[in-house]
Amino acid sequence: MKKIYRIRRRGSKFAGVLSLLFCCAIVPVCEAGFTNTVTLVLRQGEVPTTNGAPIVGAPAYTGCVDTYIYRETPNTSYGNWHYANYGGAVWYEGNPVYACRAYIKFDLTTVLPSPSQARVISAKLYLTSAGDWGDSNGNQSDVYYMTVDWGTNITWNTRPPNGQPIGGVLREPWMSMPDGTVRYIELGSLVRAWHEGLVPNYGLTLNCNEDNEVHSGRSFYTSEAGEVTSRPKLEIVYAHTGIVTDHPLYNRDGLQHVIITNGADIFEDTYIAADHTNYVHATVADLRTYNDPGTPRRALIRLRSDSLAFLAKSWDPLQPAVPRLISAALQISTGHMSDNWFQLWTCSQDWSANAVTDLSRDGTNAWNQGWTSNGISNVSRDLGSRTFSSPYHGSCLLWDITDVVQNWVDGTNNYGFVLGHASLAAYLNEAIMTEWSIQHMRPTLILQTWTPIFRQGTVIIIQ
């Protein structure tokens, strides 16, 4: 008999959207055991793996392309070289010389399930250093995602536009990258945007700044490297959507769903600074402590409570059409940074995004404590720091906020988060805010939920 799926709408403004998403996400009932997340690993010349095991019947992956270009040989293509150089610019008689730019792209079209079946949670691009070159005491390079396509035959004279900046290679002259050093670039929001078609997948460029300063020369082994384990590796974590059987937490069938969302309907955010100004309309928060003699710059971010109203309270019995929270994560994208970490806390007091400053929570009431650069105040829970893999940084950091969100759903006061540093942090540490124009780079909520299924014979009822 044909299966029938019914979805009941709830009172939350989110419920209608959720119901539509459920309808789109339904797949045939799985006979295998429940699997929440999958880690997919791609590297040129290796059979892709999921959760550490090679995909049965899959051929070796051949979807990585990479190259670099060099200012001093402007008509030469390096698409078949076993390493790629980037950075290295120095200034000679007012002109940049020796600059290199590297390019890399992974094809995802044949290896990821469709967005209706799976959602990307996080991603890391691992690069193996082929050694430093040029001046090792120079400034950083930038990381961009490309907005036009390119091929491995590009040269300096045929180079495409840079694209959209999403991070950089930190200025750390005391930290060399000897041959064989492995570091990664965080790419969760970007790979998700590629997967879901929000932006076309034209890969990345590690782009040397040309700004009248000296820049360190770096290099990485490409997909042509003779040693397969030295080639670039892309690791993607995604979560399944659809009907799962015998959920381990509830010992019954249910609908697994992944909700990834952002924007002004979900978040309100701003930042505080020593000038006592309200920054509710800021697109970027430059969070620093070292260069400010007074109040440190820290971001305030809050999930709107009605965006969580569709979730069951922790003590609620299983109910049809009432999703239960499995996990929650907060994703913060960054711009340029002088340091390589951010820290997150829950805020201990209520605040008004339209009126808050470093002196007042809401335009009338003062904060309980003064804000300080050497330590932290006005917070209730430390959710930990997240650090980029130096010297790379970009493009996003991820915090597990499952317990915090469930507490808010259960009725605990939702005063949001404080983002920043509890110690001296240098000038220029940019966190992207909700007002940013590029959707996938805004603060993002990643929810995994489970909704119980009730069966009447061969009919599945989610109502």
Side-chain angles (χ1 to χ4, degrees):
M1 180 181 293
K2 183 179 179 180
K3 295 181 176 63
I4 299 174
Y5 305 91
R6 301 186 183 131
I7 305 291
R8 177 169 66 96
R9 297 177 182 269
R10 299 192 70 213
S12 167
K13 70 175 184 179
F14 212 165
V17 176
L18 187 65
S19 298
L20 177 61
L21 291 173
F22 279 169
C23 291
C24 294
I26 288 173
V27 297
V29 176
C30 300
E31 298 302 329
F34 172 77
T35 301
N36 189 36
T37 58
V38 175
T39 299
L40 171 69
V41 174
L42 305 174
R43 180 151 48 193
Q44 194 86 339
E46 289 185 341
V47 174
T49 64
T50 52
N51 294 340
I55 299 175
V56 177
Y61 181 74
T62 58
C64 180
V65 293
D66 38 38
T67 187
Y68 80 96
I69 58 177
Y70 184 32
R71 177 181 281 275
E72 305 311 304
T73 55
N75 296 308
T76 301
S77 169
Y78 294 93
N80 61 350
W81 282 50
H82 69 282
Y83 63 85
N85 291 333
Y86 60 95
V90 298
W91 247 250
Y92 179 73
E93 295 183 351
N95 296 303
V97 294
Y98 306 131
C100 290
R101 302 179 183 180
Y103 299 82
I104 185 168
K105 177 170 57 178
F106 279 78
D107 180 19
L108 306 178
T109 56
T110 62
V111 291
L112 275 176
S114 70
S116 66
Q117 297 175 316
R119 307 293 301 278
V120 172
I121 305 299
S122 63
K124 294 178 180 178
L125 172 62
Y126 289 84
L127 298 176
T128 301
S129 173
D132 297 336
W133 58 277
D135 192 320
S136 61
N137 293 316
N139 282 354
Q140 70 178 28
S141 301
D142 285 334
V143 180
Y144 294 76
Y145 70 82
M146 298 298 293
T147 53
V148 297
D149 209 356
W150 51 274
T152 56
N153 61 340
I154 60 172
T155 67
W156 188 271
N157 281 342
T158 63
R159 67 191 184 278
N162 287 343
Q164 173 62 41
I166 56 170
V169 183
L170 294 176
R171 178 183 181 178
E172 291 185 338
W174 59 88
M175 180 180 178
S176 64
M177 290 186 67
D179 187 291
T181 302
V182 179
R183 296 290 186 267
Y184 61 82
I185 306 175
E186 297 272 4
L187 294 176
S189 65
L190 180 59
V191 171
R192 185 185 312 122
W194 287 341
H195 180 226
E196 299 180 4
L198 295 177
V199 297
N201 178 8
Y202 298 141
L204 304 173
T205 178
L206 282 72
N207 195 326
C208 182
N209 297 331
E210 297 171 49
D211 53 8
N212 290 313
E213 294 185 359
V214 174
H215 291 270
S216 299
R218 309 278 193 181
S219 62
F220 63 85
Y221 286 106
T222 68
S223 57
E224 285 78 28
E227 184 67 44
V228 173
T229 56
S230 294
R231 297 172 184 173
K233 179 178 73 173
L234 184 61
E235 179 184 278
I236 303 171
V237 177
Y238 64 86
H240 286 295
T241 66
I243 294 175
V244 295
T245 62
D246 197 17
H247 194 290
L249 292 180
Y250 302 107
N251 195 31
R252 66 178 303 141
D253 297 352
L255 179 61
Q256 171 76 18
H257 194 63
V258 184
I259 303 166
I260 302 177
T261 185
N262 59 26
D265 288 342
I266 308 300
F267 286 93
E268 56 180 345
D269 50 36
T270 184
Y271 70 92
I272 60 171
D275 60 3
H276 319 321
T277 299
N278 177 261
Y279 286 97
V280 69
H281 299 299
T283 59
V284 178
D286 177 7
L287 306 180
R288 58 177 113 153
T289 58
Y290 183 82
N291 299 86
D292 278 330
T295 302
R297 296 192 181 195
R298 295 199 174 111
L300 298 170
I301 304 168
R302 178 158 50 198
L303 283 166
R304 297 188 184 276
S305 295
D306 56 354
S307 69
L308 305 173
F310 68 100
L311 291 168
K313 292 179 170 55
S314 59
W315 55 79
D316 285 345
L318 296 183
Q319 301 176 63
V322 182
R324 308 187 75 87
L325 180 66
I326 299 300
S327 69
L330 174 66
Q331 176 186 280
I332 299 294
S333 293
T334 65
H336 296 285
M337 294 186 70
S338 297
D339 295 289
N340 72 329
W341 88 100
F342 275 126
Q343 194 157 356
L344 188 72
W345 303 264
T346 55
C347 191
S348 62
Q349 300 158 70
D350 202 6
W351 48 274
S352 170
N354 292 313
V356 64
T357 69
D358 61 317
L359 300 179
S360 171
R361 298 184 289 111
D362 52 13
T364 302
N365 298 294
W367 291 96
N368 288 348
Q369 300 97 32
W371 294 94
T372 175
S373 295
N374 292 299
I376 188 66
S377 51
N378 301 305
V379 300
S380 55
R381 181 176 172 184
D382 185 354
L383 298 174
S385 63
R386 297 294 181 270
T387 305
F388 289 114
S389 179
S390 290
Y392 298 129
H393 93 264
S395 61
C396 59
L397 297 169
L398 200 68
W399 280 267
D400 184 339
I401 57 170
T402 306
D403 293 344
V404 175
V405 169
Q406 187 63 66
N407 287 339
W408 290 342
V409 171
D410 290 347
T412 300
N413 288 327
N414 174 4
Y415 298 147
F417 303 101
V418 176
L419 178 73
H421 305 87
S423 58
L424 294 183
Y427 173 78
L428 199 62
N429 287 303
E430 294 181 336
I432 304 301
M433 297 283 96
T434 293
E435 290 72 19
W436 188 254
S437 60
I438 300 174
Q439 180 182 346
H440 71 87
M441 295 181 70
R442 300 168 184 163
T444 296
L445 175 65
I446 302 173
L447 297 178
Q448 294 190 53
T449 65
W450 178 85
T451 305
I453 286 175
F454 294 81
R455 298 176 182 269
Q456 293 181 359
T458 58
V459 176
I460 297 175
I461 301 176
I462 314 176
Q463 177 175 335

